[in-house]
Structure formats: structure tokens, C-alpha cells
Amino acid sequence: MTDALEKSIPKVGIVSLGCPKALVDSERIITRLRAEGYQIAPDYDGADLVLVNTCGFLDSAREESLEAIGEAIAENGKVIVTGCLGAEPEVIRERHPNVLAITGPQQYESVMSAVHEALPPRHDPFLDLVPDSGVKLTPRHYAYLKISEGCNNRCSFCIIPKLRGDLVSRPAAHVMAEAEKLVSAGVKELLVISQDTSAYGLDIGYATSRWKEREYRAKFLDLCQDLGRLGAWVRLHYVYPYPHVDEVIPLMAEGKILPYLDIPFQHASPKVLKAMRRPANQEKQTARIAKWRSECPDLAIRSTFIVGFPGETEEDFQLLLDFMREGQIDRVGCFKYENVVHAASRELDHQVPEDVKEERWHRFMEVARDVSEQRLATKVGKQVDVIIDEIDDEGPIGRTVWDAPDVDGAIELHGFKKVKPGDIVRARIVEAGDYDLVGEAI
């Protein structure tokens, strides 16, 4: 490619903030940009304009997004904003009046229109080549598979329905078509995501759709069964513990999908859960977890919790710690409650002081570390499949079936030669720490 041709190609820089669902949005935008002949610039200096995909779930995330917009303006000058915070353009304009355009989440056509206006595409059929699987921001061997948008729940601390709307499920045939393309392109692990994965298809009456001479039903269990036939790892995220979740445990026991459930329990005190507008039956959840593990002993459970929710007493907090210990929750994320703008919980009485939130967070994380250490100690001596994520100076580093990328632990491998990222190998676990493992070749 000549220097003149290279300089004539419009280049867009991307800053992607927030959760994996936002990352998928960024991937879809990049795929559209590449299909129209745009290049993706690796830094501010090489970009003709910068697109910032924002997060607006927590006040801290909103501030991070506003700072990222400010940095992009300072470094480049031409900035388009999209994503969750884009649902509140007045907030962005107040801080950054010079942004070129603002669109909300999932508004792909509006994003492309804004890019076209600020930076018209240069069509070249020899450059407009995009893989069938689309452009991904994750490593080649794993990908996020988003099955729906929005959420029908109205948790008092959450503003996702305000930002992304009610549940809108993708037709099952569309999901399966994307999944098969990803696997054909070399993806070894599909991470199924949405705001409420186990509610998939509810809004469309679990409708069937046709692809490759076959009918697919938009229902949680059916989707798990269908994805399990593709030959890739299938990992379930953001699964609300509805009763029908019990039906997928046999698939995990049979090795059809990974023995891993990411369930956002959020708390264990019935009083706090009621104030959160969440299901308030954690005692039953402990029994369900025990039943799941009796059917699938290798099951790992990941969850997220909030400490310092308005009205949370020391007794409530102790119930949460007891649930962690009794439920033996393998992997956890814990957040100190934030009084998010527009959240109904802002109006609740008995707000917990910041120093109490901080102290409870540290106590919670100590229990989480102890539980993780206990759970991992039971893995020593077992043989397990490991997907390799990287190779460093010490050797391969990967993840077991019990670990999702970026949020869970890792396993350091010894005795493996001529392996590369994306390979799935069999290892024996020889050592366990607080959160990570050590394995060796068999």
C-alpha cells in the first residue's frame, strides 16, 4: 500500500468502557466501520476522530466515562460519544460541549451516521474485507455472545432498564448463526452474556426461527443444548436463579456446557433483598446450590454482591457472610453500594456511612478469599482441561473450566512445550493458592 493511499484511508480510534455487553457493542461498531473501509487507529495521534463507548451504570463509571471523553477531546479534538451514558446527552454536553455527536446504547445506525457526517468513508472494494465472524476486541480464542438486550427486572439499585430498555431477545437462529461463525473462525470458548440470560426468549414467547433447515427455539435450556453441540466451551454469565435454571445442570454434568454458573445473588438478607427488589429466598438458594453440586460435583459458582446497601445492619451483613460460607461461592465480585443517579434506592432511608461500607467490604473479601482457598484446595490432584490465554517467560498461563477471563483466577502450567494461546490442554493440578492454581503436563 502506498503512503498516499494509506493516508487517504479514514481512521477511527475506539475507547471502549464498561462491561462485556458494551464490548460486544464496540465490536459490532468496529465490524461496521471496517466493512465500510475505515481503519481502526491504535492511538489518538493516528485517528481522524475518536469514538468513546461509555458506561453509566454506577456514578464512578459515569465519572470515568466523562474523564475518558475529556482525554479524547484533549488528545484528538474530534469525538463522538455512544453507549449507556449517551442516554443522558445533557450530562455529557454540560461537561464537554464540543463533542461532535452523542448516541445511546445499541444505536448502531446513529453511530454510523455520525461517523459518516464527521468523516465520510472512502470506498475501496479491495480494502472492504471483514471476516464472517466480524471484528473482535477479545483474543481470537474466545468471544462474547450477546443473546439479548435490556432487562425486565426493576432492581432498586439498577438503572439498566432506563439506559438499555426492556428485554429484547435475539431470534435463536440469529444467535446460532453467529455462534457457528465464531467457532468456524477459531473461537474455542463462547461466553454467553445478556442482562438476564435465564429470561432469554420470554419477551418473544420463546418463538422458533429457522436456520440451515432447522428450527431453533428461543428458550434458555434449548439454547444451552444447541450451543453445546458446536464443540466449543460454553460459559453462562448473568444467570438469574429462576427455577428452570435447574434444568441445565445435567448438561454441565454431561460435559455439554461448562460446569460454571455466574449468578448475581447481590445479597443474602431477606430484608435487604426486598429493599433491592430482588428474590428474597436465599435459604432456599443454599439448598439449591447443594443439590446442583450433588448432580454436578465440578460446578463452580460465581456471583456479585453489594455491601452497604441502605438499611443494611450488622445482622444483615452477617447473613451475607454466612451465605458465602454455606454456599461455598467459588468466585465473587463485591461492590460498595453507590447512590447512583436515577436509581430508586437513592430515596431509601438509613444510608450506610462510607467508612462502614469500606470496613464491611474488607471483611467480605477476607471471607471470599478463605472460601476460594478452600474450594481450590479440593482441586489438587485432579485432571482438568485448560485453555491457554498467554505464554510468558515462565511458560503458559491459562484458565480452567471454572474460570472466566478477566474476572476469575488463572492456572500456571509447567511441562508444556510447543503450545500457543487458544490451545486446550489436559493438566494435573499440583498446587492451589488463594485464587490461582498451578498445573503440570500429564
Side-chain angles (χ1 to χ4, degrees):
M1 186 184 297
T2 65
D3 290 343
L5 179 59
E6 173 71 23
K7 290 179 181 178
S8 70
I9 299 173
K11 300 176 181 65
V12 179
I14 304 287
V15 178
S16 187
L17 305 172
C19 64
K21 294 178 284 295
L23 187 71
V24 172
D25 290 343
S26 294
E27 290 174 342
R28 290 177 178 173
I29 292 168
I30 291 173
T31 297
R32 291 284 300 275
L33 290 170
R34 292 291 290 121
E36 294 187 12
Y38 291 90
Q39 283 192 359
I40 306 305
D43 51 42
Y44 291 122
D45 292 338
D48 296 307
L49 67 80
V50 176
L51 179 65
V52 181
N53 190 2
T54 59
C55 179
F57 181 51
L58 299 174
D59 287 354
S60 53
R62 293 159 65 91
E63 183 59 32
E64 180 185 8
S65 294
L66 290 169
E67 289 176 359
I69 296 167
E71 178 181 301
I73 291 173
E75 296 291 334
N76 183 276
K78 298 179 70 176
V79 176
I80 293 172
V81 178
T82 188
C84 286
L85 192 58
E88 300 180 69
E90 68 284 354
V91 173
I92 297 170
R93 291 284 184 194
E94 182 178 357
R95 181 85 71 92
H96 304 295
N98 295 325
V99 296
L100 299 178
I102 300 171
T103 73
Q106 303 133 40
Q107 296 179 5
Y108 308 120
E109 296 301 328
S110 297
V111 172
M112 295 306 298
S113 295
V115 173
H116 292 160
E117 183 173 344
L119 185 66
R122 176 189 178 278
H123 178 70
D124 186 328
F126 296 103
L127 294 177
D128 302 347
L129 300 176
V130 177
D132 288 341
S133 59
V135 178
K136 296 295 172 186
L137 297 176
T138 52
R140 184 172 181 267
H141 58 279
Y142 68 81
Y144 293 102
L145 181 65
K146 184 155 62 169
I147 62 173
S148 66
E149 303 284 1
C151 185
N152 286 345
N153 298 302
R154 294 296 184 265
C155 302
S156 63
F157 57 84
C158 182
I159 59 172
I160 290 297
K162 173 181 173 58
L163 299 175
R164 290 181 171 259
D166 289 335
L167 177 69
V168 179
S169 299
R170 297 176 63 192
H174 293 187
V175 175
M176 291 305 300
E178 180 182 352
E180 185 170 283
K181 286 181 180 179
L182 288 170
V183 174
S184 297
V187 168
K188 303 288 185 66
E189 179 180 12
L190 298 169
L191 299 109
V192 180
I193 59 170
S194 68
Q195 201 60 43
D196 183 355
T197 296
S198 39
Y200 174 64
L202 177 66
D203 57 306
I204 55 177
Y206 308 119
T208 59
S209 49
R210 193 170 185 80
W211 183 64
K212 283 191 173 181
E213 306 305 317
R214 190 184 154 196
E215 295 289 332
Y216 291 89
R217 187 166 65 149
K219 196 167 186 178
F220 180 61
L221 176 61
D222 298 64
L223 181 68
C224 292
Q225 292 171 331
D226 293 331
L227 291 174
R229 298 186 181 103
L230 296 180
W233 283 14
V234 178
R235 191 181 300 277
L236 302 178
H237 284 278
Y238 315 118
V239 178
Y240 276 63
Y242 303 135
H244 65 264
V245 172
D246 298 355
E247 298 172 341
V248 307
I249 303 302
L251 296 179
M252 297 179 179
E254 295 166 12
K256 303 292 179 59
I257 60 176
L258 295 185
Y260 181 98
L261 273 179
D262 177 358
I263 300 179
F265 288 118
Q266 305 298 7
H267 213 279
S269 162
K271 184 188 76 177
V272 174
L273 288 166
K274 183 177 180 179
M276 289 179 169
R277 301 177 188 167
R278 303 278 295 182
N281 57 349
Q282 296 303 79
E283 290 183 5
K284 293 182 180 179
Q285 298 299 356
T286 303
R288 285 182 77 198
I289 291 171
K291 184 176 184 297
W292 292 342
R293 287 194 170 128
S294 70
E295 297 176 9
C296 181
D298 277 343
L299 176 65
I301 296 177
R302 173 175 177 78
S303 190
T304 51
F305 297 92
I306 297 172
V307 296
F309 192 82
E312 181 191 64
T313 63
E314 179 62 25
E315 181 182 1
D316 295 322
F317 181 65
Q318 286 299 327
L319 287 173
L320 175 56
L321 298 184
D322 291 343
F323 175 69
M324 275 289 298
R325 296 187 185 99
E326 293 170 16
Q328 290 285 284
I329 309 300
D330 301 78
R331 303 297 198 186
V332 299
C334 182
F335 301 91
K336 289 168 280 190
Y337 170 77
E338 290 186 22
N339 247 338
V340 178
V341 174
H342 307 307
S345 56
R346 285 176 65 91
E347 307 302 321
L348 295 176
D349 295 330
H350 308 297
Q351 298 282 328
V352 177
E354 291 300 321
D355 59 337
V356 176
K357 294 180 192 175
E358 182 75 14
E359 187 266 345
R360 288 178 181 170
W361 183 86
H362 283 287
R363 287 163 60 194
F364 178 94
M365 293 309 298
E366 287 179 9
V367 172
R369 183 193 61 206
D370 291 344
V371 172
S372 175
E373 187 174 24
Q374 293 166 20
R375 294 288 298 166
L376 292 183
T378 67
K379 313 294 186 187
V380 175
K382 291 187 175 183
Q383 297 181 17
V384 66
D385 287 336
V386 176
I387 190 167
I388 296 175
D389 284 333
E390 60 178 304
I391 312 290
D392 68 7
D393 294 339
E394 302 297 321
I397 297 174
R399 290 175 291 105
T400 70
V401 296
W402 308 303
D403 296 293
D406 298 327
V407 294
D408 294 331
I411 180 168
E412 178 184 311
L413 297 174
H414 299 296
F416 288 91
K417 298 179 180 179
K418 296 182 180 179
V419 294
K420 61 186 183 301
D423 286 349
I424 296 178
V425 300
R426 191 75 173 170
R428 178 184 293 108
I429 298 171
V430 296
E431 186 179 333
D434 293 347
Y435 299 106
D436 301 321
L437 297 166
V438 177
E440 64 180 14
I442 299 172

